[in-house]
Amino acid sequence: MSMRLHLGCGNNRLEGWLNADLYRTSATDVTFDLMQPWPLDDDKISECYASHVLEHLPDPIHFFKELWRVCQNNAQVILRLPYGASDAAFWDLTHLRPWFAENFAMLQPGYAQAIGNHQHDEYREFFGVIVTMRLNPKVAVNLRKWYFRRWIWPYVKHIWNA
């Protein structure tokens, strides 16, 4: 039987999901440390949701290996986290690193060969990745203007807090 897993639930309980966190709250069904082996069976998770969790983890590779182990083929995983070029990536002193869309490249098959770095040869837990980013409303309104899309949009990712 498949399950939906909500990691880092805190006080936010999702009905119909297995709500997990490091700390026991009124919302948690199970508590465990994401940096240790997860107390979940292989191939049982059909959906996983984690909001503002990944940026707090010291070993994201361990996280993705465990996630791969517990997820079924074609499981949907949604990770919400602050964009690395946003002030929000640094507000919380417990954020360990900024995250950018490019950070997820190593989760794609062929990454080690593409960059020629054998350090990544042993990584075999591949995910199909789709990155969706929310835009600052001040930037989003300008997307309606053709000249903005043509001349400015290609450089927006280089602008802090865009």
Side-chain angles (χ1 to χ4, degrees):
M1 182 171 158
S2 67
M3 295 187 305
R4 298 187 296 175
L5 177 62
H6 179 199
L7 294 173
C9 69
N11 294 313
N12 181 23
R13 181 174 186 76
L14 297 180
E15 292 303 322
W17 293 67
L18 179 65
N19 295 277
D21 202 285
L22 178 60
Y23 305 104
R24 168 81 46 207
T25 71
S26 60
T28 53
D29 299 311
V30 61
T31 58
F32 63 93
D33 186 345
L34 292 172
M35 295 294 92
Q36 301 297 320
W38 299 3
L40 303 170
D41 293 333
D42 296 1
D43 303 316
K44 294 293 183 196
I45 304 301
S46 60
E47 290 180 67
C48 179
Y49 175 70
S51 179
H52 297 276
V53 172
L54 192 57
E55 65 272 22
H56 296 274
L57 302 179
D59 186 0
I61 301 302
H62 174 80
F63 172 84
F64 285 112
K65 286 183 176 190
E66 282 296 292
L67 186 61
W68 177 263
R69 181 184 65 77
V70 302
C71 281
Q72 299 171 339
N73 281 341
N74 298 316
Q76 181 178 19
V77 176
I78 298 174
L79 305 173
R80 285 190 68 202
L81 54 154
Y83 182 62
S86 162
D87 288 341
F90 299 97
W91 287 337
D92 188 331
L93 295 177
T94 64
H95 289 182
L96 299 179
R97 67 180 48 81
W99 284 84
F100 298 88
E102 294 82 2
N103 289 117
F104 297 93
M106 79 162 282
L107 301 176
Q108 302 296 295
Y111 176 75
Q113 295 77 23
I115 65 167
N117 186 339
H118 298 292
Q119 164 185 335
H120 299 287
D121 283 344
E122 292 182 23
Y123 187 79
R124 303 265 186 260
E125 294 76 23
F126 299 120
F127 291 83
V129 176
I130 298 171
V131 175
T132 304
M133 298 191 308
R134 290 187 299 172
L135 293 174
N136 180 317
K138 293 175 185 173
V139 173
V141 72
N142 285 300
L143 288 175
R144 294 187 187 109
K145 301 171 184 160
W146 71 268
Y147 57 85
F148 183 89
R149 288 192 310 271
R150 172 145 185 177
W151 300 109
I152 300 172
W153 182 247
Y155 305 101
V156 166
K157 71 178 183 177
H158 303 290
I159 301 171
W160 197 259
N161 275 333

